[in-house]
Structures are given as structure tokens and as C-alpha cells.
Amino acid sequence: MSELKAETPVIDFDHRDDISKNNPYERWRHMRAECPVAYSESYDGFYVISRYADSVAGARDTDDFSSALKQTQIPTLPSPPHPPVHTDPPQHRAYRQIINPFFALPKMVEYEPWVQEIVNSVVDPVMASDAFDVPHELAMPVTRQVITRIMGIKDVPTEVNNWMDDFTLLLGEPSRAASEKLQEFLTAERDDRIKSPGTDVISAMVLAEIDGHRIIGDVVGMSMLVLAGGLETTNSAIAAAIWYLLDHPEDRERLQNEPDLWLSAMEEFVRWSSPVPNISRTARNDVEVLGCPIPAGSRVMFQYGSANRDPSEFDDPDAVILDRYPNRHLGFGIGPHRCAGSHLAKLMMRLVLRRVLPHLDQWRVADPAMIGYKAAGTRGMNKLPLVRIPT
Amino acid sequence: MKIVIDLELCQGHGRCVAQAPEVFGYGEETSQSYVLDGADLLANRALIERAVADCPEGAITLIGDE
């Protein structure tokens, strides 16, 4: 029987603050130990849950914890809903079935040759240079080209990364303005596919029927989700993995010599870097977690990044263990909203890392003080400048 | 020996395919795992047990001894 709490601890907590950006781990440790369910008054108030077991239970309980009521970010971002992430079962399944086929594991065999071409075209010139920034020059051009190809987008402005950053990381008017730009861009793409449908995922959304009706009104929102998933998160995992490997020649050598290590290594880099450190819900009903009452209508944040460092689930949780097993991490979420793009993310990580790995001993971080992070609903490096080690 | 995948729980993480590729396939239409026809369960028993333990959803059960 869970310990009955008279009052949920109130804490000063903001998932967008400098601690969240630069070093969230100590605070997560404290929260897991002292206030695994807490209440923050930021952003009109929300409950925040930090342990693995409660995060898993919450993600699976789509009845008590809704993704539809106020979407899945705190604060709710200024945007039309993005099915399927902003839907609950049973509607959720029909939307997932539209996008799932584009990201199913067997599809990766078909995608690998052209993803490899994109990787080579980005990585090789960078490896031949003398200095570069990992997120901007290595990761973003790969992820942007891969996701826009799957979306059938022919001309993607490079500002799309800035719009996505502003939309997800800023608040108020700048976030709203960026959201408008993304919606305008994706509306034009949608309208193009309505005129001439193709075989890309936006065309599939345009042609889809749910209960016998087209869902044209959902296409821009769904496209924003696919674009965000493709642009944001994989960059963080790639940058974190490169940063780690620069400092760990023994693990570089393991990856070079043990081909069977790669699948588990990619999972481990996702767990360790947790590009989605938190995801939020709205309590549909009065609910209780660890004896703390959460009233219906409350916003509730699950800190998957903290869950991924929870020692009750992971031995030596802060270490990168390339062959970690078991590794039931929440880096791609869990339950019905498990990241649809997880296999594509791991494919991109694997191909980029495999291409840069032989060169990493020739590079170093230019200045650790210059490393920068961004954090809100996603978290990752936005600055990781490397320089070639002079020979 | 028999493998049961609970399709209410399977969310398509694909860890089972990574642990035991001779045993588990992934449905392109369903985005869920399935047991490959003719998979040699006995020979792959240790890998199947790893797949069971590594499934974040706890969707896989291995039943029986032979």
C-alpha cells in the first residue's frame, strides 16, 4: 500500500531553465529520491513525475492521462493538434496506421542506400575540413534531408530548423510566429499533394480516410509532428554520441571491432542522451500517483529523461554501457505513443556514426565552455564545435 | 516451446528482432513483431530469453521447455 502523502511537495522547477539545459542530472536524482511526485507553479502549475515505474504506468494509462485534452507540452504550444501524438485511443490507432508504414522496421532496408548517400554527402566534406559544429553542420543537414525526402518535400528552406526551434523553445509571440511559418510552409506542401498525390507520407495523409472520411483538416498538424520528430530529436542523439566517443577511445575501438555491438549501442546513446526528456499529459480523471492526489484537469509531466537514469531500473545509470542489457529505456517513449520514427532514428545514428568513427581520433572539442544546450520538450546540444588536432 | 506475443502490449519497439533476428520478424503492415515461420526456438532459446527481458512493454512470453 503506498504511503499516504498529506501534501504533494511544491518545488521550484522549470524544464526550460538553465539547469534543464546544461546539467539536469543532479536535480533529477534529487527529485526521484525526495519528491518523485511534485508540484511546480511554473506555467500555470503542473505535477511532475520523475521515476521510471511511475512514468511507464502513466504512459500506459491513456484513460487517466490524456494526450488530447491539452496536447503534450507544458505550456501547450501554439498550434493546431498534431495527430496522432495529440490523440487518445481509440482515435489514436487510425492516425498511427497512416504514418506507421513509412517508418516500419523493414522499410529501413529500402531506405538505407539513399540515407547512406545523404550521410556521405554531408559527412565527407565535413571530415575533410578543419573545424565544424556537430549539430549544425553534421547532424541537421542529414536529418533534414532524410525526413523531407520521406515527406516528399522538394525544396526545404534551411530556416525550417530555426522555425522549429523558435516554435518549440520560445514562448509567446515568437513561438506563435514560428508556428505560423511552419503551418504556411506545410499547407503549401499539403495543397501540392492534393493536386498531385505521390507516394510520400504527406500524400498518404491527404489520401487517408478515417471512418470513410478524408482528414484534410488534420494534415498540416500531422505534418508538423513528422517534421518535428525528424528534425529535432535525432540531432541530439547524434551530437551526444559523438561528444561521448571523442572522450572514450576504448569505446570507439569496441565499435570498430564489434559489428554486433551497434544495435545495442544506438539504444544506449538514446537512453543516455534522452532527446525527449519529458512529455506531458492532462489528467482526465482524479488520479493518484504514489499516494499524491492529482485532480482532474491537472497538467502532468513525466520526466522520461530522469526515468532513463533511475537506478531502480538501470544499473550504473549514468554510464554509457554499449552492450547494456536489458535496456528497456524510455528514450522512444513507451505504450501506444512509442516513437513511430524510432527505427529511422537509429538508422541515421548508425550510418552517421559509422562514417565519422574512423576519423574521430583526429578531432577534439574546440572549447568545452562553448558547448551549448537547448531544452524544453526536447533537449540537446545546439553548439558542439570541434577542431582538427594538429599533426 | 512456444512464444506468445501479446498484441495489445506490442508497440513495435523491435528489440526482439534485434536480440533474436532468426526468431522474430516485424510486420510492415502491422508495425508489430511476430514469430518467424520455422524459427528454431530451441537453438535460439538464450536469445529468445534476452528478447523477453529486453521488451520494454513486457509483451513476450516464452512457454514450455522443449
Side-chain angles (χ1 to χ4, degrees):
Chain A
M1 176 163 148
S2 56
E3 191 191 314
L4 199 61
K5 295 252 185 308
E7 260 171 47
T8 303
V10 177
I11 60 166
D12 184 9
F13 173 77
D14 179 350
H15 56 295
R16 292 163 168 257
D17 68 10
D18 284 345
I19 296 173
S20 296
K21 288 176 190 164
N22 299 320
N23 194 342
Y25 306 105
E26 192 46 50
R27 183 162 66 184
W28 285 344
R29 189 172 303 129
H30 170 82
M31 291 173 79
R32 286 191 303 268
E34 303 303 324
C35 52
V37 182
Y39 184 78
S40 165
E41 285 167 336
S42 304
Y43 309 110
D44 298 330
F46 61 99
Y47 290 82
V48 50
I49 287 169
S50 301
R51 288 184 187 165
Y52 181 90
D54 307 310
S55 297
V56 169
R60 292 211 176 115
D61 184 359
T62 56
D63 183 55
D64 284 323
F65 298 107
S66 165
S67 301
L69 290 176
K70 288 187 190 166
Q71 303 186 7
T72 55
Q73 295 297 311
I74 290 172
T76 302
L77 298 184
S79 165
H82 305 166
V85 77
H86 296 153
T87 60
D88 297 323
Q91 297 84 357
H92 167 263
R93 192 173 147 79
Y95 285 102
R96 267 304 276 251
Q97 286 177 329
I98 299 167
I99 60 173
N100 276 347
F102 290 87
F103 301 103
L105 180 57
K107 256 318 209 224
M108 300 306 117
V109 174
E110 184 192 312
Y111 291 172
E112 184 162 336
W114 61 258
V115 176
Q116 184 73 72
E117 269 176 32
I118 289 171
V119 167
N120 299 351
S121 74
V122 172
V123 171
D124 294 354
V126 167
M127 289 293 103
S129 73
D130 289 320
F132 68 97
D133 176 72
V134 175
H136 288 93
E137 293 174 65
L138 203 68
M140 281 182 210
V142 171
T143 58
R144 184 175 59 237
Q145 288 181 73
V146 169
I147 197 62
T148 52
R149 175 155 164 170
I150 293 173
M151 294 174 81
I153 296 172
K154 298 202 174 53
D155 289 304
V156 58
T158 50
E159 297 99 310
V160 77
N161 287 97
N162 299 102
W163 298 338
M164 192 59 75
D165 265 358
D166 289 354
F167 167 54
T168 56
L169 300 174
L170 302 180
L171 296 166
E173 179 53 28
S175 171
R176 202 206 55 78
S179 177
E180 288 284 325
K181 290 217 156 63
L182 288 165
Q183 290 177 56
E184 196 182 309
F185 168 62
L186 291 168
T187 300
E189 294 291 328
R190 178 199 71 184
D191 293 347
D192 170 79
R193 304 304 180 275
I194 291 173
K195 266 208 294 282
S196 9
T199 54
D200 60 285
V201 69
I202 298 182
S203 295
M205 296 173 195
V206 161
L207 297 171
E209 288 189 4
I210 297 182
D211 296 331
H213 303 289
R214 292 276 179 103
I215 52 159
I216 301 292
D218 290 323
V219 173
V220 169
M222 287 179 78
S223 300
M224 281 177 83
L225 171 65
V226 171
L227 188 60
L231 290 184
E232 282 296 291
T233 48
T234 312
N235 295 328
S236 305
I238 289 171
I242 289 176
W243 180 55
Y244 175 82
L245 288 169
L246 281 168
D247 248 353
H248 291 89
E250 73 287 0
D251 276 342
R252 295 203 302 266
E253 195 167 321
R254 287 197 69 193
L255 284 170
Q256 292 276 59
N257 298 331
E258 299 172 48
D260 286 346
L261 197 52
W262 282 78
L263 290 179
S264 64
M266 297 309 102
E267 298 290 354
E268 178 65 345
F269 283 128
V270 172
R271 179 194 70 86
W272 185 71
S273 66
S274 289
V276 180
N278 58 73
I279 197 90
S280 297
R281 301 284 189 261
T282 306
R284 195 195 312 276
N285 312 307
D286 290 341
V287 66
E288 214 174 76
V289 179
L290 292 177
C292 297
I294 296 177
S298 304
R299 298 305 315 279
V300 182
M301 177 183 288
F302 294 97
Q303 296 206 90
Y304 284 175
S306 171
N308 279 342
R309 300 294 182 105
D310 189 335
S312 72
E313 172 67 18
F314 301 102
D315 289 337
D316 203 1
D318 296 322
V320 170
I321 298 171
L322 294 181
D323 52 3
R324 180 181 287 277
Y325 158 79
N327 194 356
R328 297 181 295 247
H329 67 84
L330 306 189
F332 291 118
I334 198 159
H337 292 282
R338 184 274 308 177
C339 173
S342 63
H343 309 297
L344 180 62
K346 286 179 277 186
L347 174 67
M348 287 191 279
M349 289 172 68
R350 183 164 59 81
L351 296 187
V352 170
L353 293 174
R354 198 172 63 185
R355 196 79 176 176
V356 306
L357 191 62
H359 305 275
L360 282 183
D361 60 355
Q362 296 153 44
W363 292 88
R364 64 172 180 82
V365 175
D367 176 359
M370 287 182 62
I371 294 176
Y373 284 88
K374 54 187 181 178
T378 56
R379 177 179 179 271
M381 278 181 245
N382 57 10
K383 272 202 281 286
L384 177 59
L386 304 191
V387 288
R388 183 180 286 287
I389 297 170
T391 41
Chain B
M1 192 178 290
K2 192 173 116 153
I3 296 172
V4 178
I5 300 175
D6 185 335
L7 295 179
E8 294 294 306
L9 294 180
C10 175
Q11 302 293 351
H13 294 264
R15 309 296 194 75
C16 50
V17 179
Q19 292 289 0
E22 317 267 294
V23 177
F24 296 95
Y26 192 106
E28 203 169 318
E29 304 296 311
T30 60
S31 283
Q32 291 185 300
S33 300
Y34 62 92
V35 179
L36 294 167
D37 262 342
D40 187 341
L41 303 190
L42 206 51
N44 283 288
R45 192 201 175 116
L47 295 181
I48 296 168
E49 282 169 359
R50 285 178 68 97
V52 169
D54 212 26
C55 174
E57 310 289 349
I60 309 173
T61 315
L62 180 62
I63 299 176
D65 276 318
E66 54 203 47

